[in-house]
Amino acid sequence: MGFKCQVWVCTFCLVMLLFLQETRAGIHSSNASRLNGRKKVSGCNLFRGRWVVDASYPLYDSSGCPFIDDEFNCQKHGRRDNQYLKYSWQPDSCKIPRFNGADLLRRWRGKKIMFVGDSLSLNMWESLSCMIHAAVPKAKTTFSRRDSLSSVTFDSYGVTLYMYRTPYLVDIVRENVGKVLNLNSIEAGNAWKGMDILIFNSWHWWVHTGRSQGWDYIRDGSALYKNMDRLTAFSKGLTTWSRWVDQNIDPSKTRVFFQGISPTHYQGKDWNQPQRSCSGEAVPLSGSTYPAGAPPAAAVVNKVLSSMKKPVYLLDITTLSQLRKDAHPSTYSHGSGTDCSHWCLPGLPDTWNQLLYAALIM
């Protein structure tokens, strides 16, 4: 009896060990496939491909869109070359549907869509508003612009596009020491509830220093810091955002997207032209890879998204945008200096929205 018992116990332990190994592998595979699912539609990676000349672009004229800020309106501020407007994105493994604003309005009838983030979210929100407006130019719209919350409503369809400005996603609060970036707090999230589609974005402001820095101190729990490694701070803040999504979003009612990291082109060494910046650039880089590789912030986004319980679709626009050194406002905007961070409208953000459209309908 003792020997039989020992054999039975050993067999049981071996079975359980194999079961646990398969379970761990399944979990790992599930996490990996969930992340890949956020980048692919119907087996097609929409974000791996190349830029091709397309005479049918742009999708609208800046002079005909009432929603474009001067900082993105390059044609208005003197940019005379227009070849940068004549490119479309072609994925390697499929064709994406051409954007159809009227179709999108019908699909979104009665829906509320909100962009949440910084000025790159603003770039994308204005782009989508212009693309839809160009499809139904005679449709009545209601336009509201405020500091933190702006909106465009296409009245006949009951579709509202919101823009909620919050550069870090987590809160900046006033304390005795000054403005504090609280890595563990999202009080602003109450304004994001009840939406049918949410498109989040953050990173651009995390790297700002000096006078352009948006805070005086960083709070992480009970600890207060004068500074912190910016990637570490971004990871902590984005993890807080991921918990908010997991706790507050019902996937049957709200679809969530993350816009991905939008690159800058201030340093030509990133594309093997050390003396250059975006200023004067007129054509994209050829091919489908960027010499400098992906920015470290993109790895942070991938890591946080892969650990989430609720589905978030990653609009992985980083590499395709890195290839577009020609598409920034540069000196052709309302502001002073050279802007190699934001994007001209019409321009690259129109492609981001075309890929959003493809992700929704394919």
Side-chain angles (χ1 to χ4, degrees):
M1 289 293 293
F3 176 74
K4 289 182 178 179
C5 182
Q6 287 178 349
V7 171
W8 185 88
V9 170
C10 290
T11 303
F12 175 78
C13 290
L14 180 60
V15 170
M16 288 302 297
L17 179 62
L18 291 171
F19 173 76
L20 288 172
Q21 288 177 336
E22 289 182 4
T23 300
R24 289 193 188 101
I27 291 173
H28 177 77
S29 174
S30 174
N31 284 342
S33 65
R34 285 203 313 154
L35 183 57
N36 287 335
R38 291 170 183 142
K39 295 183 179 183
K40 294 181 180 179
V41 174
S42 302
C44 171
N45 187 334
L46 299 176
F47 308 101
R48 183 168 183 81
R50 66 192 189 282
W51 290 98
V52 297
V53 175
D54 190 333
S56 70
Y57 279 68
L59 299 177
Y60 58 92
D61 191 293
S62 61
S63 63
C65 181
F67 313 120
I68 302 179
D69 278 338
D70 276 356
E71 62 182 303
F72 309 139
N73 200 334
C74 303
Q75 296 287 311
K76 177 180 176 180
H77 290 281
R79 183 162 184 175
R80 294 291 172 256
D81 66 300
N82 62 6
Q83 186 57 46
Y84 74 97
L85 298 171
K86 301 293 184 180
Y87 292 95
S88 63
W89 178 249
Q90 177 57 59
D92 289 337
S93 54
C94 64
K95 289 187 177 181
I96 53 178
R98 188 173 179 84
F99 182 83
N100 186 329
D103 173 66
L104 194 58
L105 284 174
R106 288 190 291 270
R107 292 172 183 269
W108 280 356
R109 186 179 294 275
K111 304 292 186 183
K112 294 182 290 185
I113 297 86
M114 178 177 280
F115 291 84
V116 182
D118 56 29
S119 51
L120 278 311
S121 292
L122 180 70
N123 227 171
M124 189 174 178
W125 172 71
E126 292 184 9
S127 162
L128 183 59
S129 300
C130 290
M131 293 167 75
I132 295 176
H133 180 267
V136 288
K138 296 182 179 180
K140 185 179 183 300
T141 59
T142 302
F143 183 39
S144 173
R145 196 68 183 268
R146 286 177 276 174
D147 288 341
S148 60
L149 182 63
S150 301
S151 64
V152 175
T153 300
F154 293 85
D155 297 329
S156 299
Y157 299 86
V159 174
T160 301
L161 309 180
Y162 293 97
M163 171 64 213
Y164 191 96
R165 290 289 291 266
T166 174
Y168 306 98
L169 298 181
V170 291
D171 297 329
I172 290 183
V173 297
R174 177 69 64 174
E175 297 189 18
N176 292 335
V177 293
K179 291 186 293 184
V180 176
L181 177 63
N182 191 333
L183 299 179
N184 312 117
S185 171
I186 301 188
E187 293 296 328
N190 289 327
W192 313 339
K193 295 177 180 178
M195 297 293 146
D196 297 287
I197 296 176
L198 286 166
I199 304 108
F200 291 97
N201 161 64
S202 188
W203 172 241
H204 177 65
W205 277 87
W206 289 85
V207 297
H208 283 32
T209 58
R211 292 183 178 180
S212 62
Q213 181 175 289
W215 43 265
D216 301 309
Y217 289 87
I218 295 177
R219 179 173 294 285
D220 184 16
S222 61
L224 200 63
Y225 301 93
K226 186 63 179 175
N227 204 352
M228 183 184 290
D229 175 80
R230 300 309 172 86
L231 277 172
T232 300
F234 178 54
S235 178
K236 289 175 178 288
L238 200 63
T239 299
T240 297
W241 163 83
S242 73
R243 292 194 194 104
W244 184 92
V245 171
D246 282 341
Q247 293 169 7
N248 291 279
I249 294 300
D250 180 350
S252 69
K253 297 178 180 178
T254 304
R255 295 190 67 176
V256 180
F257 293 82
F258 196 88
Q259 188 174 326
I261 301 300
S262 177
T264 63
H265 289 96
Y266 288 104
Q267 299 184 351
K269 64 182 179 65
D270 289 345
W271 63 91
N272 298 326
Q273 291 185 305
Q275 307 304 316
R276 306 297 294 268
S277 71
C278 73
S279 182
E281 295 295 323
V283 295
L285 289 169
S286 59
S288 59
T289 59
Y290 191 62
V300 172
V301 171
N302 282 331
K303 182 178 180 181
V304 171
L305 264 58
S306 66
S307 68
M308 294 178 66
K309 298 175 183 177
K310 301 291 176 65
V312 177
Y313 186 99
L314 175 60
L315 287 170
D316 195 8
I317 50 92
T318 301
T319 301
L320 66 90
S321 302
Q322 286 178 316
L323 301 175
R324 294 306 307 271
K325 59 185 173 59
D326 59 314
H328 294 284
S330 180
T331 56
Y332 302 107
S333 72
H334 182 63
S336 60
T338 300
D339 183 355
C340 298
S341 298
H342 302 98
W343 308 93
C344 295
L345 294 180
L348 175 66
D350 304 334
T351 295
W352 300 349
N353 282 310
Q354 184 177 11
L355 292 169
L356 171 65
Y357 176 67
L360 288 166
I361 72 170
M362 286 179 69

